[in-house]
Amino acid sequence: MSIIHLQTVIKADIQTVFDLARDIDLHQKSTFKTGEKAIAGRTSGLIEQGETVTWRAKHLGFYQTHTSEIINMEKPDQFTDIMLKGTFKSLRHQHIFRQEGENTVMTDIFEFESPLGIIGKLFNRFFLKNYMTGFLLERNKLIKATAEIKTR
């Protein structure tokens, strides 16, 4: 199992950051490089607990679909999504938010495992972890920029 742990400090209130992190439309903007599009379940607006979203995108030269469900949500402190269907063996993404003065600290804990046994483990270690880190950083950069513009 690979784990990515990221923290992003955003000069905005916790509710704004929380809502932007679960905004399907903003997510699609942050993934323009892969052409990620919500095609089923919640396809626009703010995703809620118990809802699913199916994404279609081109990653590593192949079109892939991925269905996630929000399994837990405590507004505005955290939410967790898991993969229901997709190319990973397993995937769990915790989104945690903490207000610190005028800033919100947004923490991502992204746990994933590839199929194919030892080959998948090697692929995770030498390539996929870096790829997914970059993917999350792009998303977080747009959340930060959007939140900080909103609170000016």
Side-chain angles (χ1 to χ4, degrees), residues 40-118:
R42 170 67 84 152
T43 59
S44 186
L46 304 181
I47 196 160
E48 299 287 349
Q49 183 170 342
E51 292 184 324
T52 64
V53 58
T54 300
W55 301 99
R56 185 171 193 273
K58 192 172 190 177
H59 290 282
L60 310 174
F62 300 97
Y63 281 100
Q64 301 174 32
T65 58
H66 172 100
T67 302
S68 292
E69 178 183 6
I70 305 298
I71 60 164
N72 184 295
M73 184 178 288
E74 295 172 21
K75 296 179 182 182
D77 300 313
Q78 65 89 19
F79 67 96
T80 302
D81 60 269
I82 60 167
M83 181 193 74
L84 298 177
K85 294 180 195 169
T87 55
F88 290 96
K89 183 176 179 182
S90 67
L91 187 148
R92 177 184 182 92
H93 187 178
Q94 293 177 276
H95 310 255
I96 303 165
F97 308 87
R98 184 178 74 250
Q99 189 79 47
E100 286 189 359
E102 294 182 1
N103 297 326
T104 297
V105 178
M106 180 174 71
T107 302
D108 291 280
I109 302 171
F110 190 86
E111 303 170 72
F112 65 96
E113 190 173 1
S114 294
L116 305 177
I118 190 70

Side-chain angles (χ1 to χ4, degrees), residues 14-29:
I14 192 170
Q15 187 66 55
T16 297
V17 177
F18 179 81
D19 287 345
L20 289 171
R22 59 194 184 98
D23 187 319
I24 300 290
D25 304 300
L26 188 70
H27 181 83
Q28 290 177 114
K29 287 179 188 173

